[in-house]
Amino acid sequence: MVEGDRMATAAAHRTAHADGAAQEDTSAFQAAFDAAVAAEERIEPRDWMPDAYRATLVRQIAQHAHSEIIGMQPEANWITRAPSLRRKAILMAKVQDEAGHGLYLYSAAETLGTGRDELLDKLHTGRQKYSSIFNYPTLTWADVGAIGWLVDGAAITNQVPLCRCSYGPYARAMVRICKEESFHQRQGYELLLSLSRGTAEQHAMAQDAVDRWWWPSLMMFGPPDDESAHSAQSMAWKIKRHSNDELRQRFVDICVPQAESLGLTLPDPALVWNEERGHHDFGPIDWTEFHDVLKGNGPCNDQRIARRRQAHDEGAWVREAAAAHAAKHGNAGTGATHA
Ligand code: FAQ
């Protein structure tokens, strides 16, 4: 919405509550909201929005933010064992980027009136989800390459359309995140290429990592469309622009030629080009495994949450110090004014 309209709408909303005519005015706001979404305008924090739109955004953005910070763990597992200084520096920068993505996203959620403490508490107590993918272990160095190529690759495929999300702060955060994710994807690809072209043992390590990460990467896109609870409404609101299955198919089509260039195979005997559809057909996904991981029974769920809680507890002194500094700063400012 343009600035003038937004302010007028906010003022009208306040009036509506004051004079008790909230019911009629809410429908006027709804109409303005619907028109803004239909016209591809961005909804901004101070604009009126339906409660369910706000709740859906908080749910998705929080899950996304949690995924970024939990997603630091599998790769951080290899920082001390990176095979060269160059690889170590690259990996440290990547893991740090993921922390930054978490911060952009928690900030976007805060614009919807939900504090970071509340969201972190929900993560730590299992009341909000994070991506299934981060409950798998990183067993070898090649897993760092497979995560970059496949996990960041899947994340980009999913997130580029989110740059056009109807909610402004989320869309803008995604622009920067996607730029950084594309570096991540390329570093993973380059790492795997080096291994694939290395010794027979290194090639086998790369292939094993791809074999283990391929199917969980396809699950990142969420349940099939006919089981996706939120897709239809989220697409009507232009939060999501494509369905889970559409994006999954796009990802498969992108990966097949890349795997060929890498000299690696994707672990799916049913993977074949379908001339009629203009897409690759692929084998069935094990949705039982997906639901098990979501229920907390993946290989690393307990470990990931325990480590996150520990990091949060160990960071308490930093938060306290920052709050004390801010309070002192505020007090000093007040004192100066009084003086
Ligand atoms: N894992 O109705 P839908 C990254 C849940 S970031 C866990 O289809 P929706 C960067 C879903 O929440 C990766 N839960 O839901 C990185 C819902 O549960 P609820 C994260 C999942 O929202 C790289 C239920 O299933 N990316 O990787 C998953 O319309 C490397 C029904 O599903 C984002 O979050 C799953 N895979 O569509 C970091 C992107 N899939 O809430 C470190 C933004 C679904 O009712 C290292 N999010 N669920 O309890 C989205 O695009 C959407 O939220 C979807 C799910 C597509 C994930």
Side-chain angles (χ1 to χ4, degrees):
M1 268 188 206
V2 294
E3 185 71 17
D5 291 350
R6 185 191 306 137
M7 298 311 281
T9 308
H13 189 44
R14 281 194 295 275
T15 312
H17 282 294
D19 67 16
Q23 196 52 47
E24 300 92 272
D25 282 339
T26 300
S27 57
F29 293 134
Q30 179 73 53
F33 170 85
D34 291 344
V37 171
E40 300 286 334
E41 285 171 18
R42 290 274 158 81
I43 307 300
E44 297 297 340
R46 286 185 295 163
D47 292 341
W48 184 92
M49 62 186 84
D51 290 344
Y53 176 82
R54 187 185 297 275
T56 290
L57 281 168
V58 170
R59 179 187 62 78
Q60 177 167 328
I61 297 173
Q63 177 182 312
H64 195 165
H66 300 331
S67 303
E68 299 282 357
I69 61 166
I70 295 272
M72 296 165 74
Q73 293 185 36
E75 291 170 282
N77 181 35
W78 282 92
I79 289 175
T80 56
R81 292 173 288 166
S84 68
L85 183 59
R86 174 174 170 265
R87 292 288 181 196
K88 191 192 288 269
I90 293 171
L91 184 55
M92 282 173 69
K94 180 187 191 293
V95 171
Q96 206 172 343
D97 280 354
E98 309 299 359
H101 297 174
L103 294 184
Y104 312 152
L105 289 164
Y106 285 119
S107 298
E110 277 170 343
T111 67
L112 292 157
T114 313
R116 195 174 308 188
D117 287 348
E118 179 188 334
L119 296 180
L120 285 174
D121 189 53
K122 285 187 171 156
L123 169 66
H124 297 158
T125 52
R127 287 176 292 148
Q128 273 177 348
K129 295 187 171 80
Y130 59 90
S131 181
S132 50
I133 192 75
F134 301 116
N135 292 305
Y136 292 85
T138 39
L139 303 179
T140 72
W141 169 249
D143 288 15
V144 171
I147 289 180
W149 178 42
L150 294 175
V151 177
D152 285 280
I156 296 167
T157 309
N158 167 270
Q159 289 167 27
V160 165
L162 290 175
C163 298
R164 291 185 294 118
C165 166
S166 56
Y167 187 58
Y170 190 31
R172 289 189 286 274
M174 293 319 304
V175 173
R176 182 159 170 188
I177 290 176
C178 285
K179 284 186 180 157
E180 293 176 357
E181 298 288 27
S182 66
F183 276 109
H184 297 172
Q185 193 266 357
R186 284 172 213 187
Q187 70 81 36
Y189 185 89
E190 192 262 343
L191 195 165
L192 280 183
L193 190 63
S194 304
L195 289 175
S196 178
R197 290 179 176 170
T199 63
E201 213 179 350
Q202 287 171 327
H203 182 91
M205 196 198 279
Q207 183 61 59
D208 170 64
V210 169
D211 289 348
R212 283 181 291 104
W213 288 91
W214 174 247
W215 292 106
S217 298
L218 296 191
M219 294 175 197
M220 283 176 72
F221 294 91
D225 290 351
D226 54 4
E227 289 169 29
S228 167
H230 306 292
S231 279
Q233 181 60 75
S234 289
M235 286 169 71
W237 277 327
K238 298 185 180 169
I239 295 173
K240 284 168 83 161
R241 295 286 179 158
H242 304 279
S243 76
N244 298 354
D245 285 333
E246 272 171 29
L247 293 173
R248 191 171 6 252
Q249 178 71 62
R250 187 177 291 179
F251 178 66
V252 171
D253 290 340
I254 290 170
C255 286
V256 171
Q258 292 183 350
E260 272 167 32
S261 307
L262 280 171
L264 299 170
T265 55
L266 295 171
D268 180 359
L271 193 58
V272 61
W273 176 252
N274 182 325
E275 191 65 49
E276 212 173 294
R277 290 200 310 120
H279 291 292
H280 293 86
D281 289 339
F282 53 97
I285 294 172
D286 183 353
W287 292 112
T288 312
E289 175 180 321
F290 173 75
H291 289 299
D292 260 8
V293 172
L294 256 58
K295 271 186 227 143
N297 303 325
C300 299
N301 295 59
D302 293 344
Q303 180 186 330
R304 299 290 184 240
I305 286 294
R307 179 72 195 99
R308 171 94 270 289
R309 284 203 197 113
Q310 183 193 351
H312 189 73
D313 292 346
E314 287 173 2
W317 71 270
V318 180
R319 293 189 295 279
E320 279 161 23
H325 178 76
K328 195 170 157 192
H329 210 66
N331 288 343
T334 311
T337 307
H338 288 165

